PDB file of all heavy atoms in Angstrom:
ATOM      1  N   ILE A 985      -1.161 -11.709 -16.522  1.00 88.00           N
ATOM      2  CA  ILE A 985      -1.485 -10.400 -17.086  1.00 88.00           C
ATOM      3  C   ILE A 985      -2.411 -10.602 -18.285  1.00 88.00           C
ATOM      4  O   ILE A 985      -2.138 -11.438 -19.152  1.00 88.00           O
ATOM      5  CB  ILE A 985      -0.191  -9.667 -17.503  1.00 88.00           C
ATOM      6  CG1 ILE A 985       0.580  -9.268 -16.243  1.00 88.00           C
ATOM      7  CG2 ILE A 985      -0.495  -8.448 -18.351  1.00 88.00           C
ATOM      8  CD1 ILE A 985       1.956  -8.747 -16.512  1.00 88.00           C
ATOM      9  N   PRO A 986      -3.507  -9.844 -18.370  1.00 83.00           N
ATOM     10  CA  PRO A 986      -4.494 -10.113 -19.413  1.00 83.00           C
ATOM     11  C   PRO A 986      -4.166  -9.580 -20.808  1.00 83.00           C
ATOM     12  O   PRO A 986      -4.862  -9.909 -21.766  1.00 83.00           O
ATOM     13  CB  PRO A 986      -5.763  -9.438 -18.872  1.00 83.00           C
ATOM     14  CG  PRO A 986      -5.270  -8.366 -17.979  1.00 83.00           C
ATOM     15  CD  PRO A 986      -3.990  -8.858 -17.383  1.00 83.00           C
ATOM     16  N   THR A 987      -3.129  -8.739 -20.936  1.00 74.00           N
ATOM     17  CA  THR A 987      -2.756  -8.269 -22.273  1.00 74.00           C
ATOM     18  C   THR A 987      -1.852  -9.294 -22.939  1.00 74.00           C
ATOM     19  O   THR A 987      -0.774  -9.584 -22.439  1.00 74.00           O
ATOM     20  CB  THR A 987      -2.028  -6.919 -22.197  1.00 74.00           C
ATOM     21  OG1 THR A 987      -2.900  -5.980 -21.586  1.00 74.00           O
ATOM     22  CG2 THR A 987      -1.658  -6.417 -23.574  1.00 74.00           C
ATOM     23  N   LEU A 988      -2.300  -9.838 -24.054  1.00 75.00           N
ATOM     24  CA  LEU A 988      -1.600 -10.950 -24.697  1.00 75.00           C
ATOM     25  C   LEU A 988      -1.210 -10.595 -26.127  1.00 75.00           C
ATOM     26  O   LEU A 988      -1.905  -9.850 -26.815  1.00 75.00           O
ATOM     27  CB  LEU A 988      -2.503 -12.189 -24.723  1.00 75.00           C
ATOM     28  CG  LEU A 988      -3.173 -12.581 -23.394  1.00 75.00           C
ATOM     29  CD1 LEU A 988      -4.132 -13.732 -23.622  1.00 75.00           C
ATOM     30  CD2 LEU A 988      -2.133 -12.952 -22.352  1.00 75.00           C
ATOM     31  N   TYR A 989      -0.092 -11.167 -26.578  1.00 74.00           N
ATOM     32  CA  TYR A 989       0.287 -10.995 -27.974  1.00 74.00           C
ATOM     33  C   TYR A 989      -0.542 -11.896 -28.893  1.00 74.00           C
ATOM     34  O   TYR A 989      -0.563 -11.705 -30.099  1.00 74.00           O
ATOM     35  CB  TYR A 989       1.780 -11.266 -28.154  1.00 74.00           C
ATOM     36  CG  TYR A 989       2.616 -10.062 -27.816  1.00 74.00           C
ATOM     37  CD1 TYR A 989       3.346 -10.016 -26.654  1.00 74.00           C
ATOM     38  CD2 TYR A 989       2.635  -8.948 -28.659  1.00 74.00           C
ATOM     39  CE1 TYR A 989       4.103  -8.901 -26.334  1.00 74.00           C
ATOM     40  CE2 TYR A 989       3.379  -7.826 -28.343  1.00 74.00           C
ATOM     41  CZ  TYR A 989       4.127  -7.809 -27.182  1.00 74.00           C
ATOM     42  OH  TYR A 989       4.862  -6.704 -26.874  1.00 74.00           O
ATOM     43  N   LYS A 990      -1.190 -12.901 -28.308  1.00 75.00           N
ATOM     44  CA  LYS A 990      -2.226 -13.623 -29.067  1.00 75.00           C
ATOM     45  C   LYS A 990      -3.557 -13.256 -28.407  1.00 75.00           C
ATOM     46  O   LYS A 990      -4.068 -13.965 -27.556  1.00 75.00           O
ATOM     47  CB  LYS A 990      -1.980 -15.135 -29.084  1.00 75.00           C
ATOM     48  CG  LYS A 990      -1.814 -15.804 -27.733  1.00 75.00           C
ATOM     49  CD  LYS A 990      -1.665 -17.305 -27.947  1.00 75.00           C
ATOM     50  CE  LYS A 990      -1.654 -18.050 -26.619  1.00 75.00           C
ATOM     51  NZ  LYS A 990      -1.418 -19.498 -26.811  1.00 75.00           N
ATOM     52  N   PRO A 991      -4.105 -12.095 -28.772  1.00 75.00           N
ATOM     53  CA  PRO A 991      -5.193 -11.472 -28.025  1.00 75.00           C
ATOM     54  C   PRO A 991      -6.501 -12.245 -28.072  1.00 75.00           C
ATOM     55  O   PRO A 991      -6.779 -12.999 -29.004  1.00 75.00           O
ATOM     56  CB  PRO A 991      -5.334 -10.102 -28.692  1.00 75.00           C
ATOM     57  CG  PRO A 991      -4.757 -10.277 -30.059  1.00 75.00           C
ATOM     58  CD  PRO A 991      -3.668 -11.288 -29.926  1.00 75.00           C
ATOM     59  N   LEU A 992      -7.316 -12.014 -27.038  1.00 85.00           N
ATOM     60  CA  LEU A 992      -8.623 -12.638 -26.917  1.00 85.00           C
ATOM     61  C   LEU A 992      -9.683 -11.797 -27.625  1.00 85.00           C
ATOM     62  O   LEU A 992      -9.477 -10.622 -27.918  1.00 85.00           O
ATOM     63  CB  LEU A 992      -8.988 -12.781 -25.434  1.00 85.00           C
ATOM     64  CG  LEU A 992      -8.003 -13.591 -24.587  1.00 85.00           C
ATOM     65  CD1 LEU A 992      -8.397 -13.512 -23.115  1.00 85.00           C
ATOM     66  CD2 LEU A 992      -7.957 -15.041 -25.045  1.00 85.00           C
ATOM     67  N   GLN A 993     -10.815 -12.399 -27.871  1.00 91.00           N
ATOM     68  CA  GLN A 993     -11.883 -11.697 -28.574  1.00 91.00           C
ATOM     69  C   GLN A 993     -12.578 -10.697 -27.657  1.00 91.00           C
ATOM     70  O   GLN A 993     -12.748 -10.918 -26.461  1.00 91.00           O
ATOM     71  CB  GLN A 993     -12.920 -12.675 -29.114  1.00 91.00           C
ATOM     72  CG  GLN A 993     -14.036 -11.982 -29.910  1.00 91.00           C
ATOM     73  CD  GLN A 993     -14.976 -12.966 -30.572  1.00 91.00           C
ATOM     74  OE1 GLN A 993     -14.542 -13.936 -31.174  1.00 91.00           O
ATOM     75  NE2 GLN A 993     -16.279 -12.705 -30.452  1.00 91.00           N
ATOM     76  N   SER A 994     -12.985  -9.580 -28.249  1.00 93.00           N
ATOM     77  CA  SER A 994     -13.763  -8.572 -27.551  1.00 93.00           C
ATOM     78  C   SER A 994     -14.725  -7.928 -28.545  1.00 93.00           C
ATOM     79  O   SER A 994     -14.864  -8.401 -29.673  1.00 93.00           O
ATOM     80  CB  SER A 994     -12.835  -7.539 -26.915  1.00 93.00           C
ATOM     81  OG  SER A 994     -13.565  -6.624 -26.120  1.00 93.00           O
ATOM     82  N   VAL A 995     -15.364  -6.809 -28.121  1.00 95.00           N
ATOM     83  CA  VAL A 995     -16.360  -6.125 -28.955  1.00 95.00           C
ATOM     84  C   VAL A 995     -16.082  -4.628 -28.925  1.00 95.00           C
ATOM     85  O   VAL A 995     -15.901  -4.044 -27.854  1.00 95.00           O
ATOM     86  CB  VAL A 995     -17.790  -6.399 -28.442  1.00 95.00           C
ATOM     87  CG1 VAL A 995     -18.816  -5.600 -29.243  1.00 95.00           C
ATOM     88  CG2 VAL A 995     -18.102  -7.885 -28.505  1.00 95.00           C
ATOM     89  N   ASP A 996     -16.041  -3.997 -30.085  1.00 94.00           N
ATOM     90  CA  ASP A 996     -15.871  -2.555 -30.181  1.00 94.00           C
ATOM     91  C   ASP A 996     -17.131  -1.865 -29.650  1.00 94.00           C
ATOM     92  O   ASP A 996     -18.242  -2.189 -30.078  1.00 94.00           O
ATOM     93  CB  ASP A 996     -15.627  -2.157 -31.636  1.00 94.00           C
ATOM     94  CG  ASP A 996     -15.225  -0.706 -31.792  1.00 94.00           C
ATOM     95  OD1 ASP A 996     -16.028   0.165 -31.389  1.00 94.00           O
ATOM     96  OD2 ASP A 996     -14.130  -0.439 -32.305  1.00 94.00           O
ATOM     97  N   ILE A 997     -16.978  -0.914 -28.696  1.00 95.00           N
ATOM     98  CA  ILE A 997     -18.167  -0.306 -28.076  1.00 95.00           C
ATOM     99  C   ILE A 997     -18.891   0.659 -29.010  1.00 95.00           C
ATOM    100  O   ILE A 997     -20.056   1.007 -28.759  1.00 95.00           O
ATOM    101  CB  ILE A 997     -17.816   0.413 -26.752  1.00 95.00           C
ATOM    102  CG1 ILE A 997     -16.870   1.599 -26.988  1.00 95.00           C
ATOM    103  CG2 ILE A 997     -17.233  -0.554 -25.740  1.00 95.00           C
ATOM    104  CD1 ILE A 997     -16.710   2.492 -25.768  1.00 95.00           C
ATOM    105  N   ASP A 998     -18.238   1.101 -30.078  1.00 94.00           N
ATOM    106  CA  ASP A 998     -18.910   1.986 -31.041  1.00 94.00           C
ATOM    107  C   ASP A 998     -19.629   1.187 -32.116  1.00 94.00           C
ATOM    108  O   ASP A 998     -20.821   1.352 -32.354  1.00 94.00           O
ATOM    109  CB  ASP A 998     -17.904   2.951 -31.674  1.00 94.00           C
ATOM    110  CG  ASP A 998     -17.552   4.105 -30.750  1.00 94.00           C
ATOM    111  OD1 ASP A 998     -18.222   4.254 -29.710  1.00 94.00           O
ATOM    112  OD2 ASP A 998     -16.590   4.838 -31.047  1.00 94.00           O
ATOM    113  N   SER A 999     -18.880   0.287 -32.761  1.00 95.00           N
ATOM    114  CA  SER A 999     -19.466  -0.467 -33.881  1.00 95.00           C
ATOM    115  C   SER A 999     -20.196  -1.727 -33.437  1.00 95.00           C
ATOM    116  O   SER A 999     -20.995  -2.274 -34.180  1.00 95.00           O
ATOM    117  CB  SER A 999     -18.354  -0.851 -34.862  1.00 95.00           C
ATOM    118  OG  SER A 999     -17.510  -1.840 -34.291  1.00 95.00           O
ATOM    119  N   LYS A1000     -19.896  -2.198 -32.228  1.00 96.00           N
ATOM    120  CA  LYS A1000     -20.415  -3.463 -31.677  1.00 96.00           C
ATOM    121  C   LYS A1000     -19.907  -4.673 -32.465  1.00 96.00           C
ATOM    122  O   LYS A1000     -20.413  -5.792 -32.295  1.00 96.00           O
ATOM    123  CB  LYS A1000     -21.946  -3.476 -31.635  1.00 96.00           C
ATOM    124  CG  LYS A1000     -22.558  -2.302 -30.888  1.00 96.00           C
ATOM    125  CD  LYS A1000     -22.124  -2.236 -29.449  1.00 96.00           C
ATOM    126  CE  LYS A1000     -22.837  -1.147 -28.651  1.00 96.00           C
ATOM    127  NZ  LYS A1000     -22.477   0.218 -29.016  1.00 96.00           N
ATOM    128  N   GLU A1001     -18.905  -4.453 -33.312  1.00 95.00           N
ATOM    129  CA  GLU A1001     -18.313  -5.540 -34.080  1.00 95.00           C
ATOM    130  C   GLU A1001     -17.275  -6.279 -33.235  1.00 95.00           C
ATOM    131  O   GLU A1001     -16.562  -5.666 -32.436  1.00 95.00           O
ATOM    132  CB  GLU A1001     -17.640  -4.998 -35.347  1.00 95.00           C
ATOM    133  CG  GLU A1001     -18.595  -4.396 -36.364  1.00 95.00           C
ATOM    134  CD  GLU A1001     -19.521  -5.438 -36.953  1.00 95.00           C
ATOM    135  OE1 GLU A1001     -19.058  -6.584 -37.162  1.00 95.00           O
ATOM    136  OE2 GLU A1001     -20.702  -5.130 -37.187  1.00 95.00           O
ATOM    137  N   PRO A1002     -17.141  -7.602 -33.425  1.00 94.00           N
ATOM    138  CA  PRO A1002     -16.095  -8.352 -32.711  1.00 94.00           C
ATOM    139  C   PRO A1002     -14.709  -7.995 -33.251  1.00 94.00           C
ATOM    140  O   PRO A1002     -14.565  -7.575 -34.398  1.00 94.00           O
ATOM    141  CB  PRO A1002     -16.449  -9.814 -32.997  1.00 94.00           C
ATOM    142  CG  PRO A1002     -17.208  -9.772 -34.279  1.00 94.00           C
ATOM    143  CD  PRO A1002     -17.959  -8.473 -34.288  1.00 94.00           C
ATOM    144  N   PHE A1003     -13.697  -8.146 -32.399  1.00 89.00           N
ATOM    145  CA  PHE A1003     -12.314  -7.887 -32.824  1.00 89.00           C
ATOM    146  C   PHE A1003     -11.376  -8.609 -31.862  1.00 89.00           C
ATOM    147  O   PHE A1003     -11.795  -9.116 -30.810  1.00 89.00           O
ATOM    148  CB  PHE A1003     -12.014  -6.384 -32.803  1.00 89.00           C
ATOM    149  CG  PHE A1003     -11.835  -5.843 -31.398  1.00 89.00           C
ATOM    150  CD1 PHE A1003     -10.574  -5.649 -30.864  1.00 89.00           C
ATOM    151  CD2 PHE A1003     -12.944  -5.564 -30.605  1.00 89.00           C
ATOM    152  CE1 PHE A1003     -10.421  -5.187 -29.569  1.00 89.00           C
ATOM    153  CE2 PHE A1003     -12.784  -5.102 -29.308  1.00 89.00           C
ATOM    154  CZ  PHE A1003     -11.526  -4.912 -28.791  1.00 89.00           C
ATOM    155  N   LYS A1004     -10.114  -8.658 -32.219  1.00 81.00           N
ATOM    156  CA  LYS A1004      -9.089  -9.203 -31.342  1.00 81.00           C
ATOM    157  C   LYS A1004      -8.480  -8.051 -30.541  1.00 81.00           C
ATOM    158  O   LYS A1004      -8.076  -7.043 -31.107  1.00 81.00           O
ATOM    159  CB  LYS A1004      -7.990  -9.905 -32.154  1.00 81.00           C
ATOM    160  CG  LYS A1004      -8.471 -11.156 -32.881  1.00 81.00           C
ATOM    161  CD  LYS A1004      -8.850 -12.246 -31.895  1.00 81.00           C
ATOM    162  CE  LYS A1004      -9.227 -13.543 -32.629  1.00 81.00           C
ATOM    163  NZ  LYS A1004      -9.594 -14.610 -31.698  1.00 81.00           N
ATOM    164  N   ALA A1005      -8.395  -8.214 -29.210  1.00 72.00           N
ATOM    165  CA  ALA A1005      -8.003  -7.121 -28.315  1.00 72.00           C
ATOM    166  C   ALA A1005      -6.616  -6.582 -28.646  1.00 72.00           C
ATOM    167  O   ALA A1005      -5.723  -7.311 -29.061  1.00 72.00           O
ATOM    168  CB  ALA A1005      -8.046  -7.600 -26.866  1.00 72.00           C
ATOM    169  N   SER A1006      -6.446  -5.265 -28.408  1.00 62.00           N
ATOM    170  CA  SER A1006      -5.173  -4.599 -28.693  1.00 62.00           C
ATOM    171  C   SER A1006      -4.162  -4.844 -27.569  1.00 62.00           C
ATOM    172  O   SER A1006      -4.510  -5.286 -26.480  1.00 62.00           O
ATOM    173  CB  SER A1006      -5.401  -3.098 -28.850  1.00 62.00           C
ATOM    174  OG  SER A1006      -5.935  -2.566 -27.656  1.00 62.00           O
ATOM    175  N   ILE A1007      -2.915  -4.504 -27.847  1.00 64.00           N
ATOM    176  CA  ILE A1007      -1.830  -4.686 -26.884  1.00 64.00           C
ATOM    177  C   ILE A1007      -1.422  -3.329 -26.328  1.00 64.00           C
ATOM    178  O   ILE A1007      -1.141  -2.403 -27.068  1.00 64.00           O
ATOM    179  CB  ILE A1007      -0.606  -5.367 -27.550  1.00 64.00           C
ATOM    180  CG1 ILE A1007      -0.990  -6.774 -28.005  1.00 64.00           C
ATOM    181  CG2 ILE A1007       0.582  -5.407 -26.607  1.00 64.00           C
ATOM    182  CD1 ILE A1007       0.002  -7.383 -28.961  1.00 64.00           C
ATOM    183  N   GLU A1008      -1.408  -3.210 -24.993  1.00 55.00           N
ATOM    184  CA  GLU A1008      -1.032  -1.937 -24.364  1.00 55.00           C
ATOM    185  C   GLU A1008       0.286  -2.061 -23.603  1.00 55.00           C
ATOM    186  O   GLU A1008       0.937  -1.096 -23.324  1.00 55.00           O
ATOM    187  CB  GLU A1008      -2.145  -1.489 -23.416  1.00 55.00           C
ATOM    188  CG  GLU A1008      -1.990  -0.091 -22.871  1.00 55.00           C
ATOM    189  CD  GLU A1008      -2.192   0.994 -23.913  1.00 55.00           C
ATOM    190  OE1 GLU A1008      -2.840   0.709 -24.946  1.00 55.00           O
ATOM    191  OE2 GLU A1008      -1.687   2.112 -23.710  1.00 55.00           O
ATOM    192  N   ARG A1009       0.693  -3.273 -23.235  1.00 58.00           N
ATOM    193  CA  ARG A1009       1.962  -3.496 -22.550  1.00 58.00           C
ATOM    194  C   ARG A1009       2.434  -4.902 -22.847  1.00 58.00           C
ATOM    195  O   ARG A1009       1.695  -5.710 -23.389  1.00 58.00           O
ATOM    196  CB  ARG A1009       1.843  -3.261 -21.044  1.00 58.00           C
ATOM    197  CG  ARG A1009       0.882  -4.188 -20.347  1.00 58.00           C
ATOM    198  CD  ARG A1009       0.835  -3.907 -18.862  1.00 58.00           C
ATOM    199  NE  ARG A1009       2.074  -4.285 -18.215  1.00 58.00           N
ATOM    200  CZ  ARG A1009       2.283  -4.155 -16.911  1.00 58.00           C
ATOM    201  NH1 ARG A1009       1.362  -3.633 -16.137  1.00 58.00           N
ATOM    202  NH2 ARG A1009       3.421  -4.536 -16.377  1.00 58.00           N
ATOM    203  N   SER A1010       3.672  -5.223 -22.457  1.00 65.00           N
ATOM    204  CA  SER A1010       4.248  -6.458 -22.982  1.00 65.00           C
ATOM    205  C   SER A1010       4.887  -7.361 -21.931  1.00 65.00           C
ATOM    206  O   SER A1010       5.667  -8.241 -22.271  1.00 65.00           O
ATOM    207  CB  SER A1010       5.309  -6.108 -24.041  1.00 65.00           C
ATOM    208  OG  SER A1010       6.319  -5.290 -23.478  1.00 65.00           O
ATOM    209  N   ASP A1011       4.597  -7.161 -20.645  1.00 81.00           N
ATOM    210  CA  ASP A1011       5.137  -8.075 -19.635  1.00 81.00           C
ATOM    211  C   ASP A1011       4.507  -9.455 -19.826  1.00 81.00           C
ATOM    212  O   ASP A1011       3.285  -9.586 -19.905  1.00 81.00           O
ATOM    213  CB  ASP A1011       4.800  -7.587 -18.224  1.00 81.00           C
ATOM    214  CG  ASP A1011       5.554  -6.327 -17.841  1.00 81.00           C
ATOM    215  OD1 ASP A1011       6.296  -5.808 -18.686  1.00 81.00           O
ATOM    216  OD2 ASP A1011       5.397  -5.876 -16.699  1.00 81.00           O
ATOM    217  N   SER A1012       5.345 -10.478 -19.865  1.00 88.00           N
ATOM    218  CA  SER A1012       4.804 -11.834 -19.923  1.00 88.00           C
ATOM    219  C   SER A1012       4.554 -12.373 -18.524  1.00 88.00           C
ATOM    220  O   SER A1012       3.745 -13.290 -18.332  1.00 88.00           O
ATOM    221  CB  SER A1012       5.757 -12.760 -20.680  1.00 88.00           C
ATOM    222  OG  SER A1012       7.058 -12.693 -20.132  1.00 88.00           O
ATOM    223  N   CYS A1013       5.249 -11.809 -17.543  1.00 94.00           N
ATOM    224  CA  CYS A1013       5.056 -12.216 -16.149  1.00 94.00           C
ATOM    225  C   CYS A1013       5.518 -11.089 -15.238  1.00 94.00           C
ATOM    226  O   CYS A1013       6.665 -10.645 -15.335  1.00 94.00           O
ATOM    227  CB  CYS A1013       5.837 -13.491 -15.841  1.00 94.00           C
ATOM    228  SG  CYS A1013       5.690 -14.057 -14.120  1.00 94.00           S
TER     229      CYS A1013
END
Side-chain angles (χ1 to χ4, degrees):
I985 290 171
T987 300
L988 310 174
Y989 277 106
K990 54 177 186 184
L992 302 173
Q993 182 174 315
S994 186
V995 176
D996 189 300
I997 64 169
D998 282 350
S999 70
K1000 305 300 186 291
E1001 294 294 323
F1003 74 99
K1004 294 293 185 180
S1006 60
I1007 296 165
E1008 189 70 21
R1009 62 179 291 181
S1010 58
D1011 290 3
S1012 53
C1013 179

